[in-house]
Amino acid sequence: MKEYQNILTEIIGKVGLITLNRPKSYNALNYHLLSELMDSLTEFDNDNKIGAMVITGNEKTFAAGADITDMVNASPEEMRKSPFIPAFELIRRIKKPVIAAVSGYCMGGGNELAMSCDLIISSESAVFGQPEIKLGIIPGAGGTQRLTRAVGKIVAMEMILNNRTLSAEEALSFNLINRVYPVEDYLKQSLILAQEIAERAPLAVQAAKEMINHSFEVSLTEGLGDERETFYNLFSSQDQKEGMKAFLEKRNPSWKGA
Ligand code: CO8
């Protein structure tokens, strides 16, 4: 595995764990951190022994947003040319499921990062927010789009227009996150969930992730057609034959990822 400066990486069973590691600045996301994050996700995505990834921070902070020191004097042209947001966008190319394991501050670009993952597991202490309005800007990496799709217009409006933050319980009730655990458990539970998903049929898991994300991009008719085609294609896999045979033979399947 590559050496990184702003993140820590570890393989636990079939799960690639990535820990954002700029604790002194509350894991503020700068270009170096984001590009290391995307490199490590790509490395795990290309590793056949890994079935899912977890991105986490520390108990006090998942990430407090983009690094404000990098942006304070920037012009629109400089922001447009900056590799910063394109680095962030690379997460959309990751095929395997990614879980955000969130505790403490999950703000601005940090919340956008969590929402770019496929599932969000949270500790009881997590605080979700899009405070960009306080800086005289709006979210720039999906906050107005993904947050609105998750929590609905009226809650997104209040969060983005007036810096309303959500507690973990509120975030759960508004469908922003999957589950809430005590601080001492959230990472362990995220790893258990990631391991369970990693044990499932790899091609079907990746196809399911792709199709669910696709549903945000296309009309229902187009989405249903694409889902059906993907469903048919999985019948060319060894894993479909194995999964169905194993069910009928009352045994556990042994997946090949082929
Ligand atoms: N950028 C740079 N440094 C930060 C950031 C940040 N986003 N957040 C915290 N820090 C630094 C502080 O400057 C401070 O550094 P130092 O110790 O050297 O003074 C240290 O972290 C600790 O911060 P505080 O003293 O403020 O700690 P508190 O516990 O009092 O407060 C908060 C914690 C509430 C999280 C507070 O630090 C805060 O409000 N941070 C800024 C949150 C914010 O505004 N986020 C939005 C940033 S803009 C953005 O994300 C736009 C995204 C666009 C695209 C993103 C693609 C990834």
Side-chain angles (χ1 to χ4, degrees):
M1 257 189 319
K2 272 197 210 162
E3 285 288 310
Y4 297 107
Q5 264 79 54
N6 299 279
I7 58 169
L8 306 170
T9 57
E10 195 182 341
I11 295 175
I12 302 168
K14 291 186 172 181
V15 178
L17 173 64
I18 302 166
T19 305
L20 310 179
N21 192 31
R22 294 185 75 209
K24 285 192 186 130
S25 51
Y26 281 42
N27 288 336
L29 305 167
N30 61 15
Y31 170 68
H32 300 292
L33 187 154
L34 279 177
S35 67
E36 287 185 4
L37 173 62
M38 297 310 152
D39 283 355
S40 61
L41 281 172
T42 306
E43 208 177 337
F44 286 144
D45 213 28
N46 292 333
D47 183 339
N48 288 339
K49 297 183 290 305
I50 305 280
M53 285 77 96
V54 173
I55 302 175
T56 196
N58 53 61
E59 287 183 5
K60 214 167 156 191
T61 319
F62 178 69
D67 194 321
I68 298 166
T69 49
D70 288 351
M71 296 184 291
V72 58
N73 290 317
S75 66
E77 289 67 34
E78 284 164 337
M79 285 306 289
R80 227 172 252 124
K81 280 189 202 142
S82 151
F84 175 63
I85 291 181
F88 182 93
E89 278 286 296
L90 289 177
I91 198 166
R92 299 181 70 198
R93 293 201 205 140
I94 301 300
K95 297 193 188 75
K96 293 172 187 167
V98 184
I99 297 178
V102 174
S103 186
Y105 294 112
C106 184
M107 315 285 266
N111 194 40
E112 291 173 311
L113 173 60
M115 292 190 296
S116 300
C117 296
D118 304 305
L119 301 106
I120 305 177
I121 303 298
S122 162
S123 85
E124 285 166 348
S125 78
V127 181
F128 299 86
Q130 296 289 161
E132 288 87 346
I133 202 80
K134 285 174 43 183
L135 304 170
I137 56 168
I138 67 166
T144 62
Q145 305 300 302
R146 291 197 179 95
L147 184 67
T148 307
R149 282 165 168 81
V151 304
K153 174 178 161 178
I154 55 172
V155 177
M157 283 286 184
E158 208 182 340
M159 291 176 72
I160 295 170
L161 299 183
N162 200 31
N163 189 34
R164 173 175 174 186
T165 54
L166 299 183
S167 66
E169 282 304 328
E170 286 174 313
L172 185 65
S173 71
F174 292 138
N175 291 327
L176 181 60
I177 62 176
N178 293 79
R179 298 187 208 166
V180 182
Y181 291 101
V183 176
E184 54 280 13
D185 265 353
Y186 77 100
L187 182 55
K188 190 175 102 192
Q189 293 296 340
S190 303
L191 290 166
I192 290 172
L193 178 60
Q195 186 65 34
E196 282 174 12
I197 295 172
E199 297 288 349
R200 299 196 180 277
L203 294 180
V205 165
Q206 287 176 35
K209 166 171 169 160
E210 189 187 346
M211 281 300 110
I212 293 167
N213 284 330
H214 190 55
S215 75
F216 293 103
E217 313 283 341
V218 297
S219 71
L220 181 61
T221 305
E222 195 180 336
L224 289 170
D226 293 338
E227 178 195 75
R228 208 158 40 232
E229 202 50 41
T230 306
F231 171 80
Y232 295 148
N233 285 341
L234 283 170
F235 282 75
S236 68
S237 70
Q238 292 176 39
D239 284 349
Q240 173 270 323
K241 302 286 174 287
E242 168 64 8
M244 293 193 178
K245 259 191 213 151
F247 174 81
L248 295 173
E249 292 166 8
K250 301 191 189 308
R251 61 174 173 82
N252 289 328
S254 167
W255 305 122
K256 296 276 180 291

